Every structure is written in C-alpha cells, then in structure tokens.
Amino acid sequence: MANHKSAEKRIRQTAKRTAVNRARVSRVRTFVKKVEAAIATGDKSTAASAPRLAQPELHRAITKGALHKNTVSRKLSRLATRINAL
C-alpha cells in the first residue's frame, strides 16, 4: 500500500488510464471482429468496406498510446491480405 501522497495519486492515475486504455482496446477488438465477420460471409463488397470503419479506430489507438504502431500495422496488413484473398 502507498505511504506517500504522491504514490497514492499515481495509483489513482494509473487506475484511470488503465480503464480508458482497456475501453479503447476493447473498441478496437469489436471493429476487428466486424471485419472478420464480413470476411466470413464471403461477400467481397461488404468485406472491402468494413476495414474503412476499423482503420481509423486502430490508428486512434496508436495516437492515444493504447496499442503499438507495429501491432496495428500487422493487424491491418493481415486483414487486408484476407480480404484480397476473397
């Protein structure tokens, strides 16, 4: 347990940041699942339009510090490869 005021404040700040980052990552996962569902249907037009909605969310996670740049790049690349394979 924290003994100093500053340490207690850091605990509060960390808890807030953790909650916000978890929400952001959860939102990203939801958008990625929507893209994967569109790919699973096999319809090329819906599968091609789904990443246009997911891409801004993924990039927002980078700028907010929730995900690393290379992680997002890898996810987008893999989704694009699967869509192009349809």
Side-chain angles (χ1 to χ4, degrees):
M1 199 61 213
N3 292 320
H4 297 279
K5 270 189 168 182
S6 59
E8 290 170 351
K9 182 177 178 180
R10 294 302 300 173
I11 289 170
R12 289 194 306 270
Q13 288 176 332
T14 301
K16 281 183 196 172
R17 286 197 188 112
T18 301
V20 169
N21 283 337
R22 276 198 183 146
R24 283 196 182 111
V25 172
S26 175
R27 187 172 166 87
V28 165
R29 279 198 206 107
T30 301
F31 275 90
V32 169
K33 283 179 188 173
K34 287 179 183 176
V35 175
E36 289 174 346
I39 292 169
T41 61
D43 185 17
K44 182 129 176 128
S45 62
T46 56
S49 64
R52 291 191 190 108
L53 298 172
Q55 189 172 0
E57 286 299 323
L58 285 158
H59 285 293
R60 194 169 296 120
I62 296 171
T63 59
K64 300 298 183 182
L67 293 175
H68 194 271
K69 178 178 65 171
N70 293 347
T71 303
V72 171
S73 179
R74 183 180 66 246
K75 285 182 184 294
L76 288 171
S77 175
R78 287 179 180 172
L79 287 173
T81 303
R82 288 173 61 193
I83 289 167
N84 291 335
L86 287 176

